[in-house]
Amino acid sequence: MAVWTTVEYNKTHKNERLDAKYFRPSFIDDETRVKNKDHVTLGEDASHIRRGKQPDYNESGDIPVLRTVNVRENGFNSIRQDYVTQSFHSENERGQVKKHDVLIASTGAGSLGRVGFHFKDKEYFADSHITLLRGFDKLSPFYVAAYLQSEIGKILIDRRYRGSSGQIEIYESDIASIPIPLIENDKQEEIAKNKKQADKKRREAERLHRKSKDLAAENLN
């Protein structure tokens, strides 16, 4: 029987991992390249890495709830949108999504690892399948979001999820261990500027799209 790779037992014990995926040679090589640079882990830099809270849904509520289906790279969608009341939102800080939060969908095949970013002051509530990151020191939240959305960021997230057969998730401690290269502040500021411009253009495109549909509907009357 062919042996593709071997792993020493002490390494599995140290990382508390026995799944072959975590020790895939290509994953290890990619992460080693990151760690060979000046870097910091998310757990070392962010003061808050925590999942949201199970919502108490209310049809009369006016605060949108974010689930994994709602998190997208370029904002949030309103697919199967549910709500919580303002009072529930105010009383449950754990689920409150704050401006410039980085959001990671943390459960489910097809959605796990999707990274979003909150550009606005608008209030949202994150359910318990979303991990919220904030309170960065050396890292810009714009840079963190862009990095985790990149190909290497996706690899680092994919290496860390646990489970199989669609029942997969990534824990807060797994996210905290992700290494992020430290880059110059001016480059982080450039990334922030680009992401802000992209969000502005996205919102303008949405406005024009709505306007075009309204004009088309008017001509049918």
Side-chain angles (χ1 to χ4, degrees):
M1 182 176 67
V3 177
W4 295 106
T5 186
T6 60
V7 179
E8 296 177 3
Y9 173 75
N10 65 332
K11 291 184 178 180
T12 66
H13 180 71
K14 177 182 177 182
N15 294 283
E16 298 182 345
R17 303 293 296 246
L18 290 173
D19 47 313
K21 171 183 62 61
Y22 184 82
F23 294 100
R24 186 182 302 170
S26 62
F27 282 2
I28 294 174
D29 290 344
D30 287 330
E31 185 155 336
T32 298
R33 283 195 289 271
V34 176
K35 289 184 173 179
N36 284 339
K37 302 177 182 295
D38 190 16
H39 71 278
V40 65
T41 65
L42 287 173
E44 293 169 336
D45 199 68
S47 64
H48 182 102
I49 302 178
R50 194 173 184 186
R51 287 202 186 184
K53 179 181 174 63
Q54 180 60 33
D56 182 6
Y57 294 113
N58 192 311
E59 293 181 357
S60 301
D62 53 4
I63 305 297
V65 173
L66 296 178
R67 298 171 294 173
T68 57
V69 70
N70 305 119
V71 175
R72 291 293 184 268
E73 286 191 353
N74 297 315
F76 311 134
N77 65 35
S78 56
I79 294 177
R80 300 194 300 277
Q81 188 67 74
D82 287 314
Y83 299 86
V84 294
T85 62
Q86 180 67 62
S87 60
F88 179 84
H89 179 270
S90 299
E91 294 167 3
N92 292 275
E93 185 177 1
R94 177 170 174 170
Q96 294 172 11
V97 183
K98 303 182 184 299
K99 187 176 182 179
H100 295 168
D101 275 0
V102 178
L103 292 80
I104 301 179
S106 300
T107 64
S111 59
L112 185 148
R114 191 181 298 130
V115 177
F117 188 80
H118 188 28
F119 287 93
K120 307 176 184 179
D121 290 312
K122 182 176 180 179
E123 292 181 315
Y124 288 96
F125 193 87
D127 78 0
S128 57
H129 300 294
I130 305 283
T131 302
L132 304 171
L133 288 74
R134 72 173 70 104
F136 298 99
D137 179 20
K138 298 178 181 178
L139 303 173
S140 158
F142 295 91
Y143 167 52
V144 172
Y147 187 79
L148 294 178
Q149 289 170 349
S150 71
E151 289 305 313
I152 184 63
K154 293 175 181 177
I155 288 171
L156 295 174
I157 291 173
D158 284 347
R159 185 186 184 201
R160 285 164 167 77
Y161 76 71
R162 302 169 188 259
S164 60
S165 302
Q167 301 299 316
I168 59 174
E169 59 184 306
I170 184 168
Y171 298 123
E172 296 161 356
S173 58
D174 298 320
I175 293 171
S177 71
I178 295 175
I180 307 291
L182 288 171
I183 62 175
E184 295 84 355
N185 287 336
D186 59 341
K187 290 184 178 179
Q188 293 198 44
E189 290 172 0
E190 182 179 359
I191 290 171
K193 179 180 178 181
N194 290 338
K195 287 192 74 64
K196 289 176 182 177
Q197 289 179 341
D199 179 63
K200 182 178 180 180
K201 291 180 178 179
R202 176 184 61 81
R203 285 186 280 120
E204 176 63 9
E206 291 175 349
R207 185 188 69 80
L208 292 173
H209 182 59
R210 289 193 299 269
K211 183 177 180 180
S212 66
K213 291 195 296 184
D214 290 343
L215 287 172
E218 288 176 5
N219 290 329
L220 295 177
N221 296 329

